[in-house]
Amino acid sequence: MVRIPRVVIGAPASGHGKTTVATGLLAAFARRGVPVAPFKVGPDYIDPGYHALAAGRPGRNLDPVLVGENQIGPLFAHGAAGAKLAIIEGVMGLYDGRTGAGDTGSTAQVAELLDAPVILVVDAAAQGRSIAALVHGFRSFGSVRLAGVILNRVGSDRHESILREACEEVGTPVLGALRRADAVAAPSRHLGLVPAAERRAEARESVAALSALIAASVDLEEVEAIAYSAPPLQVEPWSPASALGLSPGLGLSSGLGGSSGLGLSSGLGGSSGLGGSSGLGGSSGLGGSSGLAGSGERPVIAIAGGPAFSFSYAETPELLTAAGADVVTVDPLRDEKLPVGTRGLVVGGGFPEVYASELSANEPLRRAVATLAAGGGPIVAECAGLLWLCKTLDDAPMCGVLDADAAMTPTLTLGYRDAVALADSPLAPAGTRVTGHEFHRTTVHPRSGLLLSPAAGAAWQWRGGDPEGFATPAVHASYLHLHWAGTPSLARNVVAAASAL
């Protein structure tokens, strides 16, 4: 049994202000000295970066589509260890989930799985008494417990009074009101908000402003009381060691998931940025002397970080460490060498297209990555990592591990994918089935001119799509983002490949 006060921040649709409210609540409670754990529903990587800045511990994702609904409670309990309060930001509209799958993957589903009350953030800029019908509809449509409303973009005292009276008509308390002029905006671009790791000082200032705004506009005591109304959860916290089938005590120390997390309390704003040489823990931070891998030396596996590669789930390094690796980080914008002893490399998502010239200028690191791949060192790359491994990105030279060129495109490719591995790779053997998420505005073209195919070493196949990605005995590179907690064997495979060098 786990007792963690918790509340879900939902909305009728995207753009109503969930991130503003959730981040501001996290920062306001943290400023009051309340250890608070941040979560985001769905596959989003960017919002958790702001959550981490606000809370001083890693922002984590809760996505039933990627990890399975049975893992939501355990992953929540793991991520909230040591916290006194958890704030869970929803995704899209309250009942919006995976297309064609009802409420699967929705904020409402996660709220039900966690037995958590919901606070609805409503953009009231163009609404009056009609807000009562909207709130009543959301409260009566499903089985979630709608505990209150926070009004956003309120125009005046009179406007606020009308809105409050309307919500009172349907028995839903108003917990706060944010004025239109009070908006605290974070810059955005082609895939959403600019990640906090890229803004550093500005992001800290935005979070501080959100903290002050929410503290002045929202009844924090009532929000906390709502969170404390959530009943105990009948779950066992997830652990990387248990996920890999290891005996207790062979995995991670309790620090990962406590208030120190993955070093993000300082990594997102400190001199090293997100994922600098100290961001994810260094050779001793995540590793220690325990783990899997049997006897012998623990292989060093580097994870790319920094502003260009800021998309990563917190559970990835935890699983790698539990599987027997010493996890270190490398920032391709700053570091000219791979960390000493690197025998494997994991490169997640991000915005390499924004930093193409800087990545191209770091020729020593590009050569080092190509050398690692040529020597059989396992490299696993997702989306941004795929682009970095190509010969070129928008004509700028990249690592050249893949005989392909990448380029920006105006077309957004977005959605969940149920995929099967077409070839053996250091990530997964052929036939492995996973569910991932695709989200990009780029394309990759093999220089051979031939379409990717199973025979040509494509990585994945999914329904309605052409074969995608690249898979060799040393390299797995694809657009597909995976949450490794959904398939923990991926970490074991990568560590085993690195250990075999």
Side-chain angles (χ1 to χ4, degrees):
M1 181 184 297
V2 176
R3 180 176 288 278
I4 302 170
R6 56 199 180 275
V7 65
V8 172
I9 307 301
S14 297
H16 279 241
K18 294 188 303 294
T19 302
T20 294
V21 171
T23 305
L25 285 172
L26 288 163
F29 280 115
R31 179 167 290 186
R32 289 185 166 198
V34 178
V36 61
F39 296 90
K40 170 70 179 182
V41 177
D44 184 291
Y45 293 98
I46 298 177
D47 291 347
Y50 287 91
H51 294 173
L53 270 183
R57 57 190 286 154
R60 295 177 183 265
N61 294 70
L62 299 171
D63 191 328
V65 179
L66 296 185
V67 303
E69 64 178 56
N70 63 321
Q71 291 294 333
I72 296 303
L75 284 168
F76 169 78
H78 169 69
K84 300 297 184 184
L85 177 66
I87 304 292
I88 305 146
E89 181 188 340
V91 60
M92 302 185 292
L94 183 60
Y95 292 98
D96 297 329
R98 185 176 188 179
T99 302
D103 71 351
T104 299
S106 70
T107 303
Q109 184 194 24
V110 170
E112 290 190 53
L113 291 170
L114 297 179
D115 203 356
V118 174
I119 294 174
L120 197 69
V121 180
V122 180
D123 183 343
Q127 295 194 73
R129 185 169 178 265
S130 293
I131 196 173
L134 183 149
V135 172
H136 176 71
F138 273 89
R139 192 181 65 182
S140 60
F141 178 74
S143 58
V144 301
R145 178 161 67 93
L146 187 57
V149 173
I150 293 176
L151 306 171
N152 192 19
R153 299 184 67 214
V154 176
S156 65
D157 289 346
R158 176 61 177 157
H159 187 205
E160 181 178 341
S161 177
I162 293 171
L163 295 168
R164 285 183 177 272
E165 289 174 5
C167 290
E168 287 176 6
E169 286 188 59
V170 292
T172 304
V174 173
L175 307 173
L178 282 63
R179 297 299 173 93
R180 295 175 195 172
D182 289 337
V184 179
S188 61
R189 56 172 175 243
H190 56 281
L191 292 182
L193 294 180
V194 176
E198 298 186 41
R199 301 178 62 219
R200 298 180 184 174
E202 296 92 337
R204 289 199 302 272
E205 292 172 1
S206 294
V207 169
L210 286 173
S211 173
L213 170 63
I214 295 299
S217 307
V218 175
D219 187 340
L220 296 181
E221 286 74 19
E222 187 59 28
V223 171
E224 191 169 17
I226 290 170
Y228 269 84
S229 73
L233 282 175
Q234 304 294 327
V235 298
E236 288 292 327
W238 180 88
S239 80
S242 296
L244 291 165
L246 302 177
S247 300
L250 283 178
L252 295 163
S253 66
S254 59
L256 289 166
S259 59
S260 62
L262 287 166
L264 288 178
S265 58
S266 60
L268 268 167
S271 59
S272 63
L274 174 60
S277 58
S278 62
L280 275 166
S283 60
S284 61
L286 279 168
S289 59
S290 61
L292 177 64
S295 59
E297 180 185 358
R298 295 170 62 91
V300 173
I301 293 181
I303 293 183
F309 299 98
S310 58
F311 295 4
S312 180
Y313 294 124
E315 291 79 8
T316 299
E318 294 177 355
L319 283 164
L320 286 169
T321 302
D326 281 337
V327 178
V328 296
T329 56
V330 58
D331 182 349
L333 293 181
R334 303 189 327 162
D335 299 328
E336 294 188 345
K337 299 178 181 179
L338 290 170
V340 175
T342 295
R343 290 159 67 180
L345 175 64
V346 175
V347 190
F351 291 97
E353 62 271 22
V354 176
Y355 297 96
S357 60
E358 293 96 324
L359 291 169
S360 183
N362 193 350
E363 187 177 354
L365 184 62
R366 292 194 287 112
R367 286 199 307 266
V369 171
T371 298
L372 177 66
I379 299 178
V380 175
E382 292 181 350
C383 201
L386 164 68
L387 308 183
W388 190 45
L389 295 187
C390 287
K391 292 284 188 182
T392 65
L393 171 55
D394 286 337
D395 297 323
M398 293 289 119
C399 294
V401 172
L402 305 175
D403 191 28
D405 297 294
M408 287 290 295
T409 173
T411 303
L412 174 63
T413 301
L414 170 69
Y416 289 109
R417 313 289 184 229
D418 297 316
V420 59
L422 296 177
D424 292 342
S425 76
L427 183 68
T432 300
R433 294 184 177 275
V434 299
T435 297
H437 189 261
E438 197 179 9
F439 186 48
H440 58 90
R441 289 187 185 271
T442 58
T443 59
V444 171
H445 301 285
R447 287 194 169 185
S448 64
L450 300 175
L451 292 176
L452 287 168
S453 68
W460 302 114
Q461 177 74 67
W462 52 74
R463 184 176 302 172
D466 296 324
E468 188 272 340
F470 301 82
T472 73
V475 176
H476 186 286
S478 163
Y479 273 120
L480 199 63
H481 291 284
L482 299 175
H483 195 308
W484 288 13
T487 313
S489 60
L490 302 178
R492 186 191 299 272
N493 296 337
V494 174
V495 174
S499 298
L501 284 184

Coordinates of all heavy atoms in Angstrom, one line a residue, residues 60-107:
R60 N 8.5 12.7 -14.8 CA 8.3 11.4 -15.3 C 7.0 11.3 -16.1 O 6.1 12.0 -15.8 CB 8.4 10.3 -14.2 CG 9.7 10.2 -13.5 CD 9.7 9.2 -12.3 NE 11.0 9.2 -11.6 CZ 12.0 8.3 -11.9 NH1 11.8 7.4 -12.8 NH2 13.1 8.3 -11.2
N61 N 7.0 10.3 -17.0 CA 5.8 10.1 -17.8 C 5.0 8.9 -17.4 O 5.6 7.9 -17.0 CB 6.2 9.9 -19.3 CG 6.8 11.2 -19.9 OD1 8.0 11.5 -19.5 ND2 6.2 11.8 -20.8
L62 N 3.7 9.0 -17.5 CA 2.8 8.0 -17.2 C 1.9 7.7 -18.5 O 1.0 8.5 -18.8 CB 1.8 8.3 -16.1 CG 2.5 8.5 -14.7 CD1 1.6 9.1 -13.7 CD2 3.2 7.3 -14.2
D63 N 2.3 6.7 -19.3 CA 1.6 6.5 -20.6 C 1.2 5.0 -20.7 O 2.0 4.1 -20.9 CB 2.6 6.8 -21.7 CG 1.9 6.8 -23.1 OD1 1.0 6.1 -23.3 OD2 2.4 7.6 -23.9
P64 N -0.1 4.8 -20.5 CA -0.6 3.4 -20.5 C -0.4 2.7 -21.9 O -0.3 1.5 -21.9 CB -2.1 3.5 -20.2 CG -2.3 4.9 -19.6 CD -1.2 5.7 -20.1
V65 N -0.3 3.5 -22.9 CA -0.1 2.9 -24.3 C 1.3 2.4 -24.4 O 1.5 1.3 -24.9 CB -0.4 4.0 -25.4 CG1 -0.2 3.3 -26.8 CG2 -1.8 4.5 -25.3
L66 N 2.2 3.1 -23.9 CA 3.6 2.7 -24.1 C 4.1 1.7 -23.0 O 5.0 0.8 -23.3 CB 4.6 3.9 -23.9 CG 4.4 5.0 -25.0 CD1 5.5 6.1 -24.8 CD2 4.5 4.4 -26.4
V67 N 3.5 1.7 -21.8 CA 4.0 0.8 -20.8 C 3.0 -0.2 -20.3 O 3.3 -1.2 -19.6 CB 4.6 1.5 -19.6 CG1 5.7 2.5 -20.0 CG2 3.5 2.3 -18.8
G68 N 1.7 -0.1 -20.7 CA 0.7 -0.9 -20.2 C 0.0 -0.4 -19.0 O 0.7 0.2 -18.1
E69 N -1.3 -0.5 -18.9 CA -2.0 0.1 -17.8 C -1.6 -0.4 -16.4 O -1.7 0.2 -15.4 CB -3.5 0.1 -18.0 CG -4.1 -1.3 -18.0 CD -5.6 -1.3 -18.2 OE1 -6.1 -0.7 -19.2 OE2 -6.3 -1.9 -17.3
N70 N -1.2 -1.7 -16.4 CA -0.8 -2.3 -15.1 C 0.5 -1.7 -14.6 O 0.8 -2.0 -13.4 CB -0.6 -3.8 -15.3 CG 0.5 -4.2 -16.3 OD1 0.7 -3.5 -17.3 ND2 1.2 -5.3 -16.0
Q71 N 1.2 -1.0 -15.3 CA 2.5 -0.4 -14.9 C 2.3 1.1 -14.4 O 3.2 1.6 -13.8 CB 3.5 -0.4 -16.0 CG 4.0 -1.8 -16.3 CD 4.8 -2.4 -15.2 OE1 5.4 -1.7 -14.4 NE2 4.8 -3.7 -15.2
I72 N 1.1 1.6 -14.6 CA 1.0 3.1 -14.2 C 1.1 3.3 -12.7 O 1.8 4.2 -12.3 CB -0.4 3.6 -14.8 CG1 -0.4 3.5 -16.3 CG2 -0.6 5.0 -14.3 CD1 0.7 4.3 -17.0
G73 N 0.4 2.5 -11.9 CA 0.5 2.6 -10.5 C 1.9 2.4 -10.0 O 2.4 3.2 -9.2
P74 N 2.5 1.3 -10.3 CA 3.9 1.0 -9.9 C 4.9 2.1 -10.3 O 5.7 2.5 -9.5 CB 4.2 -0.3 -10.5 CG 2.9 -1.0 -10.6 CD 1.9 0.1 -11.0
L75 N 4.8 2.6 -11.5 CA 5.7 3.6 -12.0 C 5.5 4.9 -11.2 O 6.4 5.7 -10.9 CB 5.6 3.9 -13.5 CG 6.2 2.8 -14.4 CD1 5.8 2.9 -15.8 CD2 7.8 2.9 -14.3
F76 N 4.2 5.2 -11.0 CA 3.9 6.4 -10.2 C 4.5 6.3 -8.8 O 5.1 7.3 -8.3 CB 2.4 6.6 -10.1 CG 1.9 7.6 -9.1 CD1 2.0 9.0 -9.4 CD2 1.4 7.3 -7.9 CE1 1.6 9.9 -8.5 CE2 1.1 8.2 -7.0 CZ 1.1 9.6 -7.3
A77 N 4.3 5.2 -8.1 CA 4.8 5.0 -6.8 C 6.3 5.1 -6.8 O 6.9 5.7 -5.8 CB 4.4 3.7 -6.2
H78 N 7.0 4.6 -7.8 CA 8.4 4.7 -7.9 C 8.9 6.1 -8.0 O 9.8 6.6 -7.3 CB 8.9 3.9 -9.1 CG 10.3 4.1 -9.5 ND1 11.4 3.6 -8.8 CD2 10.9 4.7 -10.6 CE1 12.5 3.9 -9.3 NE2 12.2 4.6 -10.5
G79 N 8.2 6.9 -9.0 CA 8.6 8.2 -9.2 C 8.3 9.2 -8.1 O 8.9 10.2 -7.9
A80 N 7.3 8.8 -7.3 CA 6.9 9.7 -6.2 C 7.5 9.4 -4.8 O 7.2 10.0 -3.8 CB 5.4 9.6 -6.0
A81 N 8.4 8.4 -4.8 CA 9.1 8.0 -3.6 C 9.7 9.2 -2.9 O 10.5 9.9 -3.5 CB 10.1 6.9 -3.8
G82 N 9.4 9.4 -1.6 CA 10.0 10.5 -0.9 C 9.3 11.8 -1.0 O 9.6 12.8 -0.3
A83 N 8.3 11.9 -1.9 CA 7.5 13.1 -2.0 C 6.3 13.2 -1.1 O 5.8 12.1 -0.6 CB 7.0 13.2 -3.5
K84 N 5.8 14.3 -0.8 CA 4.7 14.5 0.1 C 3.4 14.9 -0.8 O 2.3 14.9 -0.2 CB 4.9 15.7 1.1 CG 6.1 15.4 2.0 CD 5.9 14.2 2.9 CE 7.0 14.0 3.9 NZ 6.8 12.8 4.7
L85 N 3.6 15.1 -2.1 CA 2.5 15.5 -2.9 C 3.0 15.3 -4.4 O 4.1 15.4 -4.7 CB 2.3 17.0 -2.7 CG 1.2 17.7 -3.6 CD1 -0.2 17.1 -3.3 CD2 1.2 19.2 -3.4
A86 N 2.0 14.8 -5.2 CA 2.3 14.5 -6.6 C 1.3 15.3 -7.4 O 0.1 15.4 -7.2 CB 2.2 13.1 -6.9
I87 N 1.9 16.0 -8.5 CA 1.1 16.7 -9.4 C 1.2 16.0 -10.8 O 2.3 15.9 -11.3 CB 1.5 18.2 -9.6 CG1 1.5 18.9 -8.2 CG2 0.7 18.9 -10.6 CD1 0.1 19.1 -7.6
I88 N 0.1 15.7 -11.4 CA 0.1 14.9 -12.6 C -0.5 15.7 -13.7 O -1.7 16.0 -13.7 CB -0.6 13.6 -12.5 CG1 0.0 12.8 -11.3 CG2 -0.6 12.8 -13.8 CD1 -1.1 11.9 -10.6
E89 N 0.2 16.2 -14.7 CA -0.3 17.0 -15.8 C -0.9 16.1 -16.9 O -0.2 15.1 -17.3 CB 0.7 17.9 -16.4 CG 0.1 18.8 -17.5 CD 1.2 19.5 -18.3 OE1 2.3 19.8 -17.8 OE2 0.9 19.9 -19.5
G90 N -2.1 16.3 -17.3 CA -2.7 15.5 -18.3 C -2.2 15.8 -19.7 O -1.3 16.6 -19.9
V91 N -2.8 15.1 -20.7 CA -2.5 15.3 -22.1 C -3.8 15.6 -22.9 O -4.8 15.1 -22.6 CB -1.8 14.0 -22.6 CG1 -2.8 12.8 -22.5 CG2 -1.4 14.2 -24.1
M92 N -3.7 16.6 -23.8 CA -4.8 17.0 -24.6 C -6.0 17.2 -23.8 O -5.9 17.8 -22.7 CB -5.0 15.9 -25.7 CG -3.8 15.6 -26.6 SD -4.1 14.5 -28.0 CE -4.4 12.9 -27.1
G93 N -7.2 16.8 -24.3 CA -8.4 17.0 -23.5 C -8.6 15.8 -22.5 O -7.9 14.7 -22.7
L94 N -9.4 16.0 -21.5 CA -9.5 15.0 -20.4 C -9.7 13.6 -20.9 O -9.1 12.6 -20.4 CB -10.6 15.4 -19.4 CG -10.7 14.6 -18.2 CD1 -9.5 14.6 -17.3 CD2 -11.9 15.1 -17.4
Y95 N -10.6 13.4 -21.9 CA -10.9 12.1 -22.4 C -10.3 11.7 -23.7 O -10.7 10.7 -24.4 CB -12.5 12.0 -22.5 CG -13.1 12.0 -21.1 CD1 -13.7 13.2 -20.7 CD2 -13.2 10.9 -20.3 CE1 -14.3 13.2 -19.4 CE2 -13.7 10.9 -19.1 CZ -14.3 12.1 -18.6 OH -14.9 12.1 -17.4
D96 N -9.3 12.5 -24.2 CA -8.6 12.2 -25.4 C -7.5 11.2 -25.2 O -6.6 11.5 -24.4 CB -8.1 13.5 -26.0 CG -9.1 14.5 -26.4 OD1 -10.2 14.1 -26.7 OD2 -8.9 15.7 -26.3
G97 N -7.6 10.1 -25.9 CA -6.5 9.1 -25.8 C -6.0 8.7 -27.2 O -6.1 9.5 -28.2
R98 N -5.6 7.5 -27.3 CA -5.1 7.0 -28.6 C -6.2 6.9 -29.6 O -7.3 6.4 -29.2 CB -4.5 5.6 -28.4 CG -3.9 5.0 -29.6 CD -3.2 3.7 -29.4 NE -2.4 3.3 -30.6 CZ -1.7 2.1 -30.7 NH1 -1.7 1.3 -29.7 NH2 -1.1 1.9 -31.8
T99 N -6.0 7.4 -30.8 CA -7.0 7.4 -31.8 C -7.6 6.0 -32.0 O -6.9 5.0 -32.2 CB -6.5 7.9 -33.1 OG1 -5.9 9.2 -32.9 CG2 -7.5 8.0 -34.2
G100 N -8.9 5.9 -31.9 CA -9.6 4.7 -32.2 C -9.6 3.7 -31.0 O -10.0 2.5 -31.2
A101 N -9.2 4.1 -29.9 CA -9.0 3.2 -28.7 C -9.8 3.7 -27.5 O -9.4 3.5 -26.4 CB -7.6 3.0 -28.4
G102 N -10.8 4.5 -27.7 CA -11.6 5.0 -26.6 C -10.8 6.0 -25.7 O -10.1 6.8 -26.3
D103 N -10.8 5.8 -24.4 CA -10.0 6.6 -23.5 C -8.7 6.1 -23.2 O -8.0 6.6 -22.3 CB -10.8 7.0 -22.3 CG -10.9 5.8 -21.3 OD1 -10.6 4.6 -21.7 OD2 -11.4 5.9 -20.2
T104 N -8.2 5.0 -23.9 CA -6.9 4.4 -23.6 C -5.8 5.5 -23.9 O -5.7 6.1 -24.9 CB -6.7 3.2 -24.5 OG1 -7.7 2.2 -24.3 CG2 -5.3 2.6 -24.3
G105 N -5.0 5.7 -22.9 CA -3.9 6.6 -23.0 C -4.3 8.0 -22.6 O -3.5 9.0 -22.6
S106 N -5.6 8.2 -22.2 CA -6.1 9.6 -21.9 C -5.8 9.9 -20.4 O -5.4 9.1 -19.6 CB -7.6 9.6 -22.1 OG -8.3 8.8 -21.1
T107 N -5.9 11.2 -20.1 CA -5.8 11.7 -18.8 C -6.8 11.1 -17.9 O -6.5 10.7 -16.7 CB -6.0 13.2 -18.8 OG1 -5.1 13.9 -19.7 CG2 -5.8 13.8 -17.4

